[in-house]
Amino acid sequence: LSSALEIRGNALLDMDSQPGSTCPKRQRRCLRLLLLGAVLSFFVDLAWLGLPVRFERGSRASTERSRVALAAEPRHLTGVQPGDRFVGWMKHPVLTKAAKHVLVLEFGPGGEGGEWRVEDPDAIKRKRMQFQGDFWVVKTDDENRILIRDEKTVLNATLNGVGDGTLSGRVVQCGLSWGGFFETKLDV
């Protein structure tokens, strides 16, 4: 029986290799396209019926994750609150050598100050921290702007500058304000 299969298999291989004989190749290609079309139409039909098209383990858990993600959408900022944590990036020609670095702003009790960190994402872990220090918040006449500052650095922040729950604006270091920018998002 195995020798008969070998002969039959070799005959099919010979048929494929004969010049001008494209029939088996074409049949396989058509069969694959037909099968692919049937599978795609099955999923399209499920989508039109409104049935969930999700074939993964724990689909109930992923639905719960979606509900949590919807509930945790960032809020429209009217100011900063104690315990707010913003994560994003900062870029400055001197401080970060014009490269984007990770910026983390953590507002402490009272919302009048806190701690910030600037990290180089490309550095090795033990030398990753570039700067860490305290800051204080200065309110401005414009209700959509605040100043986040320490002795040498000022972040001119616009509340909801690039969307709800964001702080963005200019970075000023020792009076040098050209080329410095930052964007952070409320970490919920």
Side-chain angles (χ1 to χ4, degrees), residues 2 4 18 36-37 40 42 45 54 71 87-88 102 108 116 118 126 131-132 142 159 186:
S2 64
Q18 291 177 0
L36 179 65
L40 286 176
F42 174 74
D45 289 343
R54 196 180 309 167
V87 179
V102 176
W116 64 336
V118 178
R126 67 178 177 273
F131 176 80
Q132 181 173 3
D142 185 359
L159 302 172
L186 185 62

Side-chain angles (χ1 to χ4, degrees), residues 1 11 26 32 40 59 98-99 108 124 140 182:
L1 181 66
R26 186 175 296 161
R32 286 181 190 149
L40 286 176
S59 63
I124 55 176
T140 64
F182 77 96

Side-chain angles (χ1 to χ4, degrees), residues 11-23:
L12 284 176
L13 287 177
D14 289 341
M15 206 163 157
D16 283 346
S17 62
Q18 291 177 0
S21 173
T22 58
C23 192

Side-chain angles (χ1 to χ4, degrees), residues 47-95:
W48 278 103
L49 291 174
L51 298 175
V53 186
R54 196 180 309 167
F55 296 104
E56 62 180 27
R57 285 187 175 183
S59 63
R60 186 176 285 168
S62 65
T63 305
E64 289 299 320
R65 280 195 300 268
S66 316
R67 287 186 191 142
V68 169
L70 287 175
E73 288 182 5
R75 68 181 190 275
H76 183 79
L77 298 177
T78 56
V80 291
Q81 299 177 0
D84 281 351
R85 182 174 193 264
F86 291 85
V87 179
W89 59 267
M90 171 182 162
K91 182 177 174 178
H92 190 272
V94 175
L95 290 174

Side-chain angles (χ1 to χ4, degrees), residues 129-144:
M129 185 68 64
Q130 184 168 340
F131 176 80
Q132 181 173 3
D134 295 331
F135 66 83
W136 62 91
V137 177
V138 178
K139 298 197 185 282
T140 64
D141 293 337
D142 185 359
E143 63 185 30
N144 291 324

